[in-house]
Amino acid sequence: MYPHCVRPTNLYLQHAQAGKADKRLAKGNAQTLQFYGIALLVSILLHLVIRIYYFGDMTTLDWVLSGSTAVAAISCYSLMVAQSRFGGDLNLAGATSEYFKDIVTVGSAVLTLSIISTKFFGLWLFVLGYILVKAVKMLIPWISPPPPPPMDAATAKRLAKKERQAELQQRRAKGK
């Protein structure tokens, strides 16, 4: 009916036809998602229950910081879920899922530790610093020109000979 649209596939059939590696990948992803999902859920629930019902002293700034921390962690967890559904490996070292897992971990830790003191929201400054360092490392090659490639011996010898010939011609031209 809609030839320009991609027809959705049956994920159950894909899983049934998957090989050993695909099943191992799916199992690893499911374990990773379960671990980080439970950690995030427990930290959010602990934060809300203890901060609201036990202490009951949340200012507007506390609500904003708690909400933004929860939104950042939930967003990264959602991106992990999406990456897993599209066949990505969540346990691959150096992949973007590592950054997502780090943000979920930091968000969970900040939410849990901010029960004790709101000063623990300052841990996000480490994340911002890391992002800044990564951004600078990515931008430096675009800003500064690359160093010239080193010359081999034959090229250096040829250039030296041309310079000597040019000096000799200048001396001869002055002598005329």
Side-chain angles (χ1 to χ4, degrees):
M1 183 170 191
Y2 299 103
H4 60 281
C5 295
V6 177
R7 183 177 171 194
T9 59
N10 189 341
L11 293 177
Y12 176 76
L13 287 177
Q14 283 183 350
H15 184 68
Q17 296 171 354
K20 274 187 175 182
D22 292 334
K23 289 181 184 178
R24 194 175 325 123
L25 176 69
K27 183 179 178 184
N29 285 348
Q31 289 174 344
T32 302
L33 288 174
Q34 181 182 7
F35 174 78
Y36 285 98
I38 289 172
L40 183 59
L41 182 65
V42 166
S43 66
I44 290 172
L45 290 177
L46 273 175
H47 182 79
L48 288 176
V49 169
I50 294 174
R51 281 296 294 225
I52 293 173
Y53 292 114
Y54 186 70
F55 292 116
D57 62 342
M58 292 204 37
T59 63
T60 305
L61 180 63
D62 292 339
W63 280 105
V64 169
L65 292 173
S66 299
S68 60
T69 299
V71 165
I74 291 170
S75 298
C76 285
Y77 181 77
S78 299
L79 289 171
M80 286 171 57
V81 170
Q83 191 173 12
S84 174
R85 284 189 181 157
F86 288 115
D89 189 1
L90 297 179
N91 298 316
L92 184 64
T96 56
S97 60
E98 288 288 319
Y99 297 117
F100 297 152
K101 289 191 287 189
D102 291 343
I103 291 176
V104 170
T105 304
V106 170
S108 297
V110 166
L111 282 173
T112 305
L113 292 172
S114 66
I115 294 170
I116 301 168
S117 172
T118 56
K119 293 179 182 177
F120 284 107
F121 284 114
L123 291 174
W124 281 115
L125 294 175
F126 288 112
V127 174
L128 293 175
Y130 183 76
I131 291 171
L132 184 64
V133 167
K134 285 295 235 184
V136 167
K137 283 184 179 180
M138 285 176 51
L139 291 176
I140 284 178
W142 290 81
I143 294 172
S144 64
M151 276 192 264
D152 59 340
T155 307
K157 188 175 179 181
R158 191 172 353 112
L159 286 176
K161 184 177 178 181
K162 283 185 180 182
E163 288 175 6
R164 284 194 308 270
Q165 287 176 352
E167 287 176 14
L168 186 61
Q169 286 178 354
Q170 284 179 354
R171 282 190 219 155
R172 287 181 185 165
K174 283 184 181 179
K176 284 187 180 179

